[in-house]
Amino acid sequence: MLQAGNKYCADCGSLEPKWVSSSHGVFICIKCSGIHRSLGVHISKVLSLKLDEWTDEQVDALVKFGGNTVINMKYEACLPSNIKKPKPNSSIEERSDFIRRKYEFLQFLDIEENLSCPFVPSHARCSSYSERSSSSNNFPQDKKHYDKQETKSLIGSTFRNSWGRKDSEHKSSKKSNSLAGMIEFIGLIKVNVVKGTNLVIRDVMTSDPYVIISLGHQSVKTRVIKSSLNPVWNESLMLSIPDNIPLLKVLVYDKDIFSTDDFMGKAEIDIQPLVSAAKAYEKSSINDSLQLGKWVANGDNNTLVKDGTISLEDGKVKHDISVRLQHVERGVLEIELECVLLTQ
């Protein structure tokens, strides 16, 4: 954090970035971090310098990347003179366009990475480029070109294929991912997947479950727990909350090596009450722990196993819930939610 280059966002130059793309080793600001999340964890996994707990391995891996200056020399080596980096006050559209070109399409990548620069670098001008880059319709062609290269995107494809096609709604959201970067975000939701209870059998005697959490166009995934119908994850995942708040979708699958992963249930959670409670707390002077609300389990809401409470603990607005997995014969998932508004 003390390196000179890491005191500014690698993508827009904002001062004192509080987020990191652990996939690329860059320090980024809150606005750019939302767009990184919208790309998907197969392209950029975002961690908070303050909200996430870092392992020694994660810190060592970040150090090995070298920091913003080193990474930008690689990922912006072929940046054309007529493509300008976003500024701290740039729009969401400008940030999204640049970040997708930089990390998803790898359009400015160093030629030493076994890629040829599709654009003329800033030290050499090309009049034809302005015509080629004036329309965003060229994105699919650029992407097709890069898919042919031996790059990290191949690893991303393998990762996506292992779980991205499981649910039709989840699949369609991935297809429309190009729109995700245009969305304004109001905060973050931290999802702690605690454990599963009495999950369905999908192998001979047991299952190898994992959980996908999606919010709008964003998706994150837990690790796989081998041979367990009562898995304990205690794994925290983070997503950006868009201004138009969608349902938080929970999908559980059994990991298979030689065939398509098996469906183990799903649930949908309305996080609007949690966000409303976080906004109300922000405007108040309350410091003591207390219950802010309750999500009641009744006949109209058969997703909840028991009442879920929204509470204030140590200045954090949390929602602990147990959800009954739908479209399967049995299974319960315990989840802890925490809402952090951008203003906080």
Side-chain angles (χ1 to χ4, degrees):
M1 292 174 63
L2 296 178
Q3 288 185 21
N6 297 338
K7 294 181 180 180
Y8 301 88
C9 174
D11 297 327
C12 76
S14 293
L15 186 63
E16 297 181 355
K18 302 299 182 185
W19 302 86
V20 166
S21 168
S22 61
S23 306
H24 303 287
V26 289
F27 288 71
I28 52 180
C29 69
I30 184 68
K31 292 183 178 180
C32 290
S33 74
I35 296 170
H36 275 259
R37 283 194 190 87
S38 71
L39 300 179
V41 293
H42 58 286
I43 295 177
S44 185
K45 182 176 181 180
V46 177
L47 295 175
S48 168
L49 295 174
K50 291 188 175 182
L51 299 177
D52 285 307
E53 295 181 3
W54 287 67
T55 64
D56 290 341
E57 291 76 15
Q58 287 174 320
V59 175
D60 291 341
L62 180 62
V63 171
K64 288 181 180 179
F65 275 111
N68 286 1
T69 302
V70 173
I71 296 302
N72 278 349
M73 288 178 63
K74 171 183 173 181
Y75 280 87
E76 298 178 8
C78 297
L79 184 65
S81 59
N82 57 342
I83 293 292
K84 303 300 181 184
K85 289 189 65 170
K87 298 182 184 300
N89 60 350
S90 292
S91 67
I92 293 294
E93 290 80 3
E94 291 172 318
R95 294 174 194 269
S96 177
D97 178 66
F98 181 82
I99 290 172
R100 292 189 67 209
R101 287 172 178 252
K102 181 176 177 180
Y103 299 102
E104 184 177 6
F105 301 144
L106 305 177
Q107 290 183 346
F108 318 133
L109 193 67
D110 190 343
I111 56 175
E112 292 182 0
E113 296 295 314
N114 295 322
L115 289 172
S116 59
C117 285
F119 303 129
V120 179
S122 57
H123 58 267
R125 299 181 178 273
C126 176
S127 59
S128 63
Y129 169 72
S130 60
E131 299 175 1
R132 194 166 69 231
S133 63
S134 61
S135 172
S136 60
N137 292 333
N138 287 327
F139 272 5
Q141 296 176 357
D142 295 334
K143 189 174 189 302
K144 182 177 180 181
H145 169 76
Y146 276 97
D147 284 344
K148 296 179 182 178
Q149 309 296 332
E150 301 251 347
T151 69
K152 290 189 294 185
S153 62
L154 296 179
I155 299 175
S157 293
T158 303
F159 178 77
R160 286 197 303 274
N161 290 338
S162 69
W163 60 269
R165 61 176 180 271
K166 310 300 186 252
D167 180 84
S168 59
E169 294 180 4
H170 182 65
K171 183 176 180 181
S172 64
S173 72
K174 298 298 288 184
K175 285 183 177 180
S176 57
N177 196 39
S178 60
L179 299 177
M182 306 300 181
I183 299 172
E184 291 283 358
F185 297 105
I186 61 172
L188 304 165
I189 185 162
K190 195 172 184 179
V191 183
N192 183 31
V193 183
V194 181
K195 66 179 181 179
T197 304
N198 197 26
L199 302 184
V200 293
I201 297 174
R202 287 295 181 258
D203 295 328
V204 178
M205 297 290 292
T206 184
S207 296
D208 301 325
Y210 65 92
V211 181
I212 297 171
I213 306 291
S214 65
L215 186 66
H217 301 287
Q218 310 162 78
S219 293
V220 287
K221 174 177 172 287
T222 68
R223 68 188 185 280
V224 176
I225 302 295
K226 295 289 186 179
S227 304
S228 179
L229 300 179
N230 299 285
V232 177
W233 284 280
N234 273 327
E235 187 169 347
S236 292
L237 307 168
M238 200 174 299
L239 295 162
S240 298
I241 304 174
D243 188 33
N244 186 15
I245 304 174
L247 293 174
L248 184 74
K249 297 183 179 181
V250 181
L251 301 167
V252 184
Y253 288 99
D254 165 59
K255 182 66 178 178
D256 286 329
I257 298 177
F258 301 108
S259 62
T260 302
D261 295 354
D262 299 312
F263 178 71
M264 295 181 65
K266 65 181 294 186
E268 294 184 340
I269 302 170
D270 183 7
I271 64 171
Q272 181 68 61
L274 178 64
V275 175
S276 298
K279 290 181 177 180
Y281 163 67
E282 183 186 30
K283 298 177 181 178
S284 71
S285 57
I286 300 174
N287 293 316
D288 299 330
S289 298
L290 78 162
Q291 181 176 311
L292 299 176
K294 179 181 288 188
W295 196 14
V296 180
N298 53 38
D300 297 329
N301 187 3
N302 61 1
T303 300
L304 288 185
V305 176
K306 58 184 179 181
D307 292 351
T309 58
I310 300 176
S311 59
L312 176 64
E313 301 176 15
D314 299 324
K316 299 177 181 179
V317 180
K318 296 184 175 182
H319 190 183
D320 297 341
I321 53 177
S322 296
V323 293
R324 184 179 291 107
L325 296 175
Q326 305 295 302
H327 307 301
V328 287
E329 54 270 32
R330 66 171 193 263
V332 172
L333 207 61
E334 291 187 23
I335 296 176
E336 298 173 349
L337 305 176
E338 178 186 343
C339 178
V340 181
L341 299 177
L342 290 190
T343 51
Q344 296 175 310

